[in-house]
Amino acid sequence: MALFSDAGIQFLLRWIHFLSGITWIGLLYYFNFVQGPFFAEADASTKSVATQKLVPRALWWFRWAAALTFLSGLAILGLRRASWSDPWGMTILSGAAFGTLMLVNVWRVIWPNQQVVIASAVATAGGGQPNPLAAGAARRAFLASRTNVVLSFPMLFFMGAASHFPLNALGNRMLWGIALLVILALLEINALVGSTGPTKKPIETVRGVIVTGFVTAVLVYWIAQVTLGA
């Protein structure tokens, strides 16, 4: 197979997609499973230094890996002419819908709010006053990041299922599409509206967000099966 044939280009794009996706999701899990609990236990000085020096570096790789994952995935979908009317296309596009919302959260919620937190830490370290908006910004970034962890479970499920366990494209595709949009909207509303409440409690802890991710993936797949008449 020639590397720069159609098949070769698709392979290169998938390779890039895998590399960038591993980087993106790996850092997402690092932020939620490692850095978050560490910050909760660290003293103020250590947390301040990490916020100024470590977090910006990690966020750089995080947001650009997310962008590259999305763009390479979009190119693959275009080259393969992914369609909602065939099993592979419907399944991979379902996963891509979760991934796209995750990308939006990275660039429109997590990164802007983390910029506020980082700037406040820098100002405080320099003898200035902390930004009174920093605590709220940190909370919004936290909820969006936790929501992305939940979204990653069905996203990765459908990405893997596309070639091995595809959805039934002969079923009610429109109904599944509507159900998918409703699911995404509800998860995003929970991330963006308010800062506390019973629907946010399950994702507060590491164990809770992992369990919520698995449960969400199972429920989403069940809804897909029901709406598609499988």
Side-chain angles (χ1 to χ4, degrees):
M1 179 184 70
L3 193 58
F4 294 103
S5 64
D6 287 345
I9 290 172
Q10 286 190 42
F11 166 75
L12 288 175
L13 285 170
R14 290 185 69 186
W15 181 50
I16 292 169
H17 191 64
F18 289 158
L19 288 172
S20 56
I22 289 169
T23 303
W24 176 20
I25 302 304
L27 282 168
L28 173 67
Y29 293 163
Y30 158 76
F31 285 133
N32 283 274
F33 304 159
V34 180
Q35 181 178 287
F38 169 76
F39 271 29
E41 298 175 357
D43 59 72
S45 176
T46 301
K47 186 175 179 180
S48 175
V49 172
T51 301
Q52 296 175 70
K53 304 296 183 181
L54 172 65
V55 173
R57 288 181 172 89
L59 284 171
W60 189 93
W61 287 99
F62 178 65
R63 66 183 186 274
W64 288 111
L68 185 56
T69 303
F70 175 79
L71 292 174
S72 57
L74 191 64
I76 293 168
L77 293 176
L79 287 174
R80 291 199 58 173
R81 295 178 174 84
S83 169
W84 196 248
S85 61
D86 72 81
W88 180 86
M90 176 184 287
T91 310
I92 204 75
L93 288 169
S94 296
F98 286 95
T100 300
L101 183 56
M102 291 171 64
L103 176 81
V104 172
N105 281 336
V106 168
W107 281 94
R108 301 297 296 172
V109 184
I110 297 172
W111 172 232
N113 282 291
Q114 284 289 3
Q115 285 179 291
V116 175
V117 175
I118 294 167
S120 179
V122 171
T124 303
Q129 294 297 316
N131 187 337
L133 300 177
R139 180 63 179 172
R140 284 188 292 275
F142 170 82
L143 290 173
S145 186
R146 281 291 207 252
T147 298
N148 270 11
V149 172
V150 174
L151 292 169
S152 73
F153 281 69
M155 182 270 289
L156 291 170
F157 177 88
F158 284 118
M159 291 293 179
S163 297
H164 305 283
F165 201 53
L167 296 173
N168 173 26
L170 298 177
N172 194 330
R173 298 189 298 271
M174 180 177 291
L175 183 59
W176 164 234
I178 293 171
L180 179 60
L181 291 175
V182 170
I183 292 166
L184 292 170
L186 290 174
L187 290 169
E188 190 67 0
I189 289 169
N190 186 58
L192 299 180
V193 178
S195 59
T196 59
T199 59
K200 294 173 175 57
K201 189 174 181 180
I203 62 174
E204 292 285 351
T205 66
V206 171
R207 180 178 180 179
V209 76
I210 292 173
V211 171
T212 302
F214 275 114
V215 171
T216 300
V218 171
L219 285 176
V220 170
Y221 178 69
W222 177 78
I223 292 170
Q225 294 294 91
V226 170
T227 56
L228 291 169

